[in-house]
Amino acid sequence: MTSLVTRVRSLLFILWLYGSMALIGLGFSPLLLLSQAACMWVIRLWAHTVLFGARWIVGIKVEFRGLEHRPAGAALVAGKHLSMLDTIAPFTILPHTCYVLKQSLIYMPFLGWYAARTRMVPIRREDAAKALKGMVTRCRDRLKAGRQIVIFPEGTRAKVGQDSDYKPGVAALYRDLDVPCHLLATNSGQFWPAHGIDRKPGTVVFEFLPPLPAGLKRGELMKEMKAQLDAASNLLIEQNAKV
């Protein structure tokens, strides 16, 4: 059962999360008329602000591991998706992040402005074949610009312990871009759940795993990606459950 203190802190953090989005988004909105790099700086500022609030309001610390496997230049990154935090924290550690995201997010105030200006890759799930083709074309362009393309193979946030299917979009990108696939495991949902408002204190770990080499067959890629991401994420969850 959630304690009153946890609930109050969680509500305060939600105010911090969305309040900072509005204040920073509006306050730096003139930068939307300038360069893409300036807008990316605003997003990173907000991401650091969210992590600061998470630590001091609800007691969530964020730790990055496996940084020797972190891509510095153009790359494809497939991440475990357990929390909204998964879409925020990588901005603080990857130099030129580009997310594959739902089309509807582009129309959101503040978030959508900066996502569009920094050329994130929106997809419409209603028309799968057309969306897949457009996603590959856009991601190829972003890769040429030296960006780290981040995609969540599960497609949506999963609950901790849930055995989710991995969607084929990442395999299409991997094949057509002909690059290694970097893997990012996490236990984020343990403290910042996929759904609900309550946040629990603890250490969220994002761990870069050794990348899968380019050139694997589709079935082999999907099998190895799911096995390694699930195993590494579950291990992080088990380790933190014992703390």
Side-chain angles (χ1 to χ4, degrees), residues 180-198:
C181 184
H182 294 258
L183 305 177
L184 184 58
T186 187
N187 65 334
S188 58
Q190 201 169 12
F191 308 105
W192 184 325
H195 306 288
I197 64 173
D198 291 326

Side-chain angles (χ1 to χ4, degrees), residues 61-96:
K61 302 176 184 178
V62 174
E63 176 185 339
F64 293 95
R65 297 179 186 171
L67 294 180
E68 66 274 17
H69 303 303
R70 172 185 51 170
L76 173 63
V77 180
K80 187 71 178 173
H81 199 15
L82 301 176
S83 169
M84 180 182 176
L85 184 59
D86 309 337
T87 66
I88 299 172
F91 280 114
T92 69
I93 200 70
L94 293 174
H96 204 8

Side-chain angles (χ1 to χ4, degrees), residues 151-206:
I151 185 170
F152 298 111
E154 292 158 297
T156 189
R157 287 168 286 179
K159 294 181 180 180
V160 171
Q162 179 180 334
D163 184 17
S164 301
D165 292 330
Y166 281 43
K167 307 299 187 292
V170 63
L173 283 180
Y174 171 80
R175 179 196 62 211
D176 288 10
L177 299 179
D178 192 26
V179 293
C181 184
H182 294 258
L183 305 177
L184 184 58
T186 187
N187 65 334
S188 58
Q190 201 169 12
F191 308 105
W192 184 325
H195 306 288
I197 64 173
D198 291 326
R199 310 288 182 260
K200 298 186 294 184
T203 300
V204 170
V205 178
F206 290 94

Side-chain angles (χ1 to χ4, degrees), residues 97-204:
T97 316
C98 176
Y99 278 97
V100 177
L101 45 76
K102 293 186 296 184
Q103 177 79 36
S104 59
L105 294 178
I106 293 294
Y107 305 117
M108 288 183 61
F110 316 119
L111 176 64
W113 304 346
Y114 290 90
R117 186 65 183 86
T118 54
R119 304 188 72 205
M120 302 296 169
V121 177
I123 57 171
R124 290 175 57 89
R125 294 176 178 173
E126 295 80 7
D127 187 352
K130 185 177 180 180
L132 191 61
K133 183 178 180 180
M135 177 185 69
V136 170
T137 300
R138 293 186 183 94
C139 286
R140 188 182 298 116
D141 175 72
R142 309 304 189 263
L143 196 73
K144 289 179 181 178
R147 302 186 68 175
Q148 298 85 45
I149 299 165
V150 180
I151 185 170
F152 298 111
E154 292 158 297
T156 189
R157 287 168 286 179
K159 294 181 180 180
V160 171
Q162 179 180 334
D163 184 17
S164 301
D165 292 330
Y166 281 43
K167 307 299 187 292
V170 63
L173 283 180
Y174 171 80
R175 179 196 62 211
D176 288 10
L177 299 179
D178 192 26
V179 293
C181 184
H182 294 258
L183 305 177
L184 184 58
T186 187
N187 65 334
S188 58
Q190 201 169 12
F191 308 105
W192 184 325
H195 306 288
I197 64 173
D198 291 326
R199 310 288 182 260
K200 298 186 294 184
T203 300
V204 170

Side-chain angles (χ1 to χ4, degrees), residues 4-33:
L4 178 60
V5 172
T6 297
R7 178 59 54 83
V8 170
R9 287 179 174 174
S10 297
L11 290 171
L12 287 174
F13 175 68
I14 289 173
L15 290 175
W16 177 274
L17 174 69
Y18 292 105
S20 63
M21 180 190 292
L23 288 173
I24 292 175
L26 281 174
F28 290 95
S29 58
L31 296 185
L32 290 165
L33 302 176

